[in-house]
Amino acid sequence: MDQEERLTAVDNIVTQFNTYEDFLDSQITSVDLYYLEDEGLARQLVELGYRGTGEVVKREDFEARKAAIEIARLAERTQKKTLTSAGKDLQDNFLKTLAVREEDNHNGKVSTVIFIRDKNSHGQEVSGYIDYAHRLKIEDFEVYFSGKRRLLPKPTDMSFYNWDSHIAVWNSTPNYQVIADNLEGLLFKYKRDRKILNVDPKVPPGDNSTRIPIQTDLYIQAVIFDHISRRKT
């Protein structure tokens, strides 16, 4: 039996029995108990490979695989919990676009920058660029996917501009460095691979990046920029 087959066999045993003792007991026959007259001794002989009707599995192997399977199960459950878009009946293209990118932004496969232009609760027109992955980490998006609130740029985002008060703010994030004083206009440098994201619609967005205008009823204008890092992590 090769290594892969052995691991599969151990996994089958681990998922079948709650404890190592349960597994040992399954290998003990009534004949073993009749002659040995000691369940503990019978378990020891099975563990050592002298008795038993099936695969010999060491205690440390059983417990290690049991722990690994439980960790994987908890990680999968946690990942499902973090997807705040899951199970939502999303009607608008903008929210659908964010939903399909939520998991990849959580795990770092994709870095999405969101541009939004619309009016705030005071009727003032605002616009800005949002680091989606960063906002996902510091904010609960359930309120946006459920329609309780609208996602809007904040003065703490990568960029924020109030067209009525003419207040302009730029902030670097854990993922992007903002380059505001540039002849080419506003640029964002992705910190992981140091690639430049150019948000000017008249020029290409940059290496490994795409620009996608979104048709939406929620905002005056919405654009999605996706960047895929080629750097190994």
Side-chain angles (χ1 to χ4, degrees), residues 134-151:
H134 180 52
R135 283 279 287 264
L136 281 171
K137 287 185 178 180
I138 64 174
E139 196 171 350
D140 185 2
F141 266 62
E142 196 278 334
V143 293
Y144 303 126
F145 285 120
S146 64
K148 296 175 183 176
R149 289 169 54 191
R150 284 190 315 137
L151 178 66

Side-chain angles (χ1 to χ4, degrees), residues 17-230:
F17 299 100
N18 290 327
T19 67
Y20 187 64
E21 283 69 26
D22 289 343
F23 162 67
L24 294 178
D25 290 345
S26 73
Q27 302 293 296
I28 300 172
T29 66
S30 58
V31 176
D32 291 331
L33 290 176
Y34 177 80
Y35 284 106
L36 295 172
E37 299 181 346
D38 187 329
E39 186 179 48
L41 177 59
R43 285 178 174 176
Q44 290 179 18
L45 291 176
V46 172
E47 188 169 354
L48 292 172
Y50 295 116
R51 285 288 188 276
T53 59
E55 178 73 17
V56 177
V57 178
K58 294 181 180 179
R59 180 181 296 271
E60 54 266 31
D61 292 341
F62 181 95
E63 293 177 348
R65 291 303 299 163
K66 193 77 171 178
I69 290 173
E70 179 65 13
I71 291 171
R73 185 184 67 81
L74 291 174
E76 182 179 1
R77 188 172 67 182
T78 301
Q79 180 64 26
K80 288 180 179 178
K81 283 185 176 180
T82 59
L83 295 180
T84 52
S85 61
K88 300 292 191 302
D89 183 19
L90 306 175
Q91 301 297 323
D92 189 84
N93 288 333
F94 177 78
L95 293 178
K96 291 178 181 178
T97 300
L98 294 192
V100 299
R101 288 162 171 77
E102 184 182 5
E103 184 173 1
D104 284 345
N105 273 268
H106 265 302
N107 59 34
K109 289 182 179 179
V110 174
S111 177
T112 299
V113 173
I114 307 165
F115 173 78
I116 290 174
R117 181 166 66 92
D118 205 67
K119 293 185 181 295
N120 61 20
S121 58
H122 302 291
Q124 300 171 322
E125 187 171 321
V126 297
S127 63
Y129 292 90
I130 299 169
D131 180 347
Y132 185 30
H134 180 52
R135 283 279 287 264
L136 281 171
K137 287 185 178 180
I138 64 174
E139 196 171 350
D140 185 2
F141 266 62
E142 196 278 334
V143 293
Y144 303 126
F145 285 120
S146 64
K148 296 175 183 176
R149 289 169 54 191
R150 284 190 315 137
L151 178 66
L152 284 173
K154 301 178 179 180
T156 52
D157 281 314
M158 293 168 64
S159 82
F160 173 85
Y161 184 67
N162 187 309
W163 292 81
D164 289 33
S165 64
H166 303 292
I167 294 176
V169 182
W170 296 276
N171 304 284
S172 292
T173 71
N175 300 312
Y176 287 93
Q177 175 188 344
V178 178
I179 305 173
D181 53 347
N182 191 281
L183 294 176
E184 298 180 40
L186 187 62
L187 302 174
F188 302 119
K189 180 189 287 187
Y190 189 53
K191 293 181 178 180
R192 184 176 299 176
D193 61 10
R194 305 182 67 82
K195 297 291 186 181
I196 297 295
L197 174 64
N198 192 328
V199 295
D200 185 346
K202 300 183 183 66
V203 300
D207 293 344
N208 308 327
S209 296
T210 56
R211 179 183 188 274
I212 307 172
I214 306 298
Q215 296 295 323
T216 173
D217 295 326
L218 298 178
Y219 304 101
I220 295 173
Q221 184 182 8
V223 181
I224 294 291
F225 297 87
D226 287 328
H227 179 75
I228 300 176
S229 175
R230 299 302 184 189

